Amino acid sequence: MRRVLHFMADIQVSSGMAAVVMNYYRHIDRSRVQFDFLYFEDGPLSYEQEIRSLGGRTFRIPRPGPLSMGNIHAFFRAHQGEFQILHCHPIWSAAVLGPVARRYGVQAVFLHSHSEKPGESGASILRNRLILYLSAARVDTFLACSHAAETALMGIPSSVYILPNAIDTHAFSFDSTARRLCRSQLGIAPETPVIGHVGRMVEVKNHRFLLKAFSICHRAVPAAQLLLIGDGPLEQMLRTQAADLGIQGSVHFLGSRRDTRLLYAAMDVFAMPSLYEGLSMALLEAQASGLPCLASDTVSPESNVTNRMVRLPLEQPKDWAAAFEKQLKAPADRTRDVTEAFARRNLDIHTAVRQLTELYERN
């Protein structure tokens, strides 16, 4: 059996990166491959209990710095020979952890790109470009969740394996009973038009733009409601913005949730106005639920699986408001089976997990 140590900043339910890894973990043959998790930050809602129920272990260490690299050495020394593979997810992490891991018996290092940009600012992009140059020769396998995410690696590795953010399409298929139950729990009437979004409340997800667009839509469709699923550092600012726009009574801040399948069922339209994305898990899940999706034109067209995704520029919130109105007035037929569409694109988890298993077993 191959034991793989996944490294990421945190294992919170609100983390898209952690959600991707957990989706593979739930479906992988754990008699052949077992996952453990190394991370920096704890939070109120994490995958820790689920990881342990699946036979994995969780390890938390302080963030690395000039005075804390000793913690990384101490960790790998204490677990020498336990892990065959180190699978790194933050773009900088293979350069920092990889050499230490090899020193203490790790046989192969993977680096996985989840976004189309290697950083959020000019300084971080330059820093990560330099780190990639330094780490390229130390990484055995480079992965990306899409061809768009491959660009974050800036052509530095000679080859990149595309491993999509595959999902279990059946788990997210539309369920009318779940729709009625979820709306009842939220206090939303069956006929009320609902727009939804799933994502961390951080700048790249562009919630401020979404609130502006919704406020314009709300003037034309006063009954409309907006579900925001996720948490993050911008939450209080977004609550204030909603109040300033006079829509606070129609915006539901639902926090980090484990029942997104039910919440997708409760929606009528899904919105993803991100500044950039690799291959959004939330967009895939929403499409698997049969939802029409509005996404920014900075989101890769690779995300369009069911031909129900419309890409719009982020120039005018009123254009998004008009698109919301159009979709809300003509509800989509959500009973159509989309399994074949996902399978053709290798986005069904059962196919993709076999490929990941083979990658691990070759290293």
Side-chain angles (χ1 to χ4, degrees):
M1 182 181 71
R2 309 293 278 171
R3 196 134 203 144
V4 180
L5 179 67
H6 285 269
F7 169 75
M8 57 195 74
D10 65 70
I11 54 170
Q12 298 305 297
V13 170
S14 58
S15 165
M17 191 179 290
V20 169
V21 179
M22 287 302 298
N23 203 30
Y24 274 96
Y25 189 24
R26 295 181 190 111
H27 292 89
I28 205 160
D29 182 347
R30 291 185 294 279
S31 68
R32 296 168 64 183
V33 178
Q34 181 56 260
F35 287 4
D36 295 313
F37 292 78
L38 179 66
Y39 60 98
F40 293 144
E41 298 173 3
D42 274 330
L45 190 61
S46 81
Y47 289 112
E48 183 174 9
Q49 185 174 350
E50 183 180 1
I51 289 167
R52 291 179 178 176
S53 73
L54 295 173
R57 298 172 295 172
T58 59
F59 306 98
R60 184 186 177 201
I61 59 171
R63 286 185 176 275
L67 301 178
S68 62
M69 279 300 292
N71 294 310
I72 294 174
H73 280 269
F75 169 80
F76 283 103
R77 186 185 305 116
H79 297 278
Q80 186 167 359
E82 293 182 19
F83 316 111
Q84 286 74 51
I85 295 170
L86 171 65
H87 191 145
C88 296
H89 297 274
I91 205 81
W92 54 266
S93 56
V96 176
L97 275 68
V100 182
R102 287 187 189 279
R103 179 175 177 180
Y104 295 105
V106 168
Q107 299 165 15
V109 176
F110 285 31
L111 180 59
H112 198 150
S113 173
H114 293 266
S115 175
E116 66 178 38
K117 288 189 176 182
E120 294 189 8
S121 66
S124 65
I125 289 171
L126 286 173
R127 178 201 67 200
N128 288 339
R129 186 177 183 86
L130 176 60
I131 288 173
L132 279 167
Y133 272 118
L134 294 174
S135 64
R138 301 173 180 176
V139 174
D140 299 279
T141 302
F142 286 90
L143 303 97
C145 67
S146 65
H147 290 290
E150 185 181 1
T151 64
L153 299 172
M154 297 172 289
I156 293 170
S158 57
S159 64
V160 178
Y161 186 91
I162 303 299
L163 183 74
N165 294 346
I167 66 169
D168 183 347
T169 53
H170 293 292
F172 290 93
S173 59
F174 178 68
D175 182 337
S176 59
T177 301
R179 178 181 176 87
R180 289 192 297 271
L181 174 63
C182 188
R183 282 183 169 232
S184 175
Q185 291 173 343
L186 295 172
I188 297 174
E191 68 279 2
T192 298
V194 174
I195 299 165
H197 171 81
V198 177
R200 281 270 292 160
M201 292 183 175
V202 291
E203 289 289 350
V204 68
K205 299 298 182 180
N206 209 13
H207 289 82
R208 285 180 287 187
F209 182 92
L210 176 56
L211 287 174
K212 290 176 186 176
F214 176 74
S215 70
I216 298 169
C217 174
H218 193 261
R219 294 172 205 157
V221 189
Q225 304 284 298
L226 177 64
L227 307 184
L228 298 180
I229 298 97
D231 56 19
L234 300 185
E235 181 174 345
Q236 188 54 54
M237 183 198 70
L238 295 170
R239 287 180 179 273
T240 300
Q241 182 187 2
D244 291 343
L245 290 168
I247 55 173
Q248 68 270 33
S250 300
V251 181
H252 303 254
F253 288 85
L254 300 180
S256 205
R257 300 280 291 254
R258 295 184 184 273
D259 59 347
T260 51
R261 182 184 70 85
L262 302 179
L263 292 163
Y264 289 124
M267 300 172 191
D268 297 300
V269 180
F270 185 79
M272 180 62 71
S274 299
L275 300 179
Y276 56 87
E277 289 280 347
L279 182 65
S280 167
M281 282 279 286
L283 264 177
L284 297 181
E285 292 167 355
Q287 289 176 84
S289 185
L291 280 167
C293 299
L294 271 61
S296 54
D297 61 2
T298 54
V299 171
S300 170
E302 292 176 81
S303 300
N304 188 0
V305 182
T306 62
N307 293 322
R308 285 184 173 173
M309 188 179 97
V310 177
R311 296 166 72 238
L312 296 172
L314 291 170
E315 296 168 359
Q316 296 293 336
K318 65 180 181 181
D319 294 336
W320 282 66
F324 286 148
E325 288 180 54
K326 180 180 178 180
Q327 295 287 358
L328 292 173
K329 289 176 180 177
D333 173 14
R334 298 178 64 179
T335 61
R336 178 164 60 98
D337 185 10
V338 298
T339 304
E340 186 178 341
F342 275 79
R344 282 198 304 269
R345 293 277 304 279
N346 200 27
L347 291 167
D348 181 74
I349 190 65
H350 302 287
T351 301
V353 78
R354 288 196 295 269
Q355 297 175 342
L356 181 59
T357 301
E358 291 169 3
L359 269 180
Y360 286 147
E361 291 182 339
R362 289 202 299 264
N363 286 272

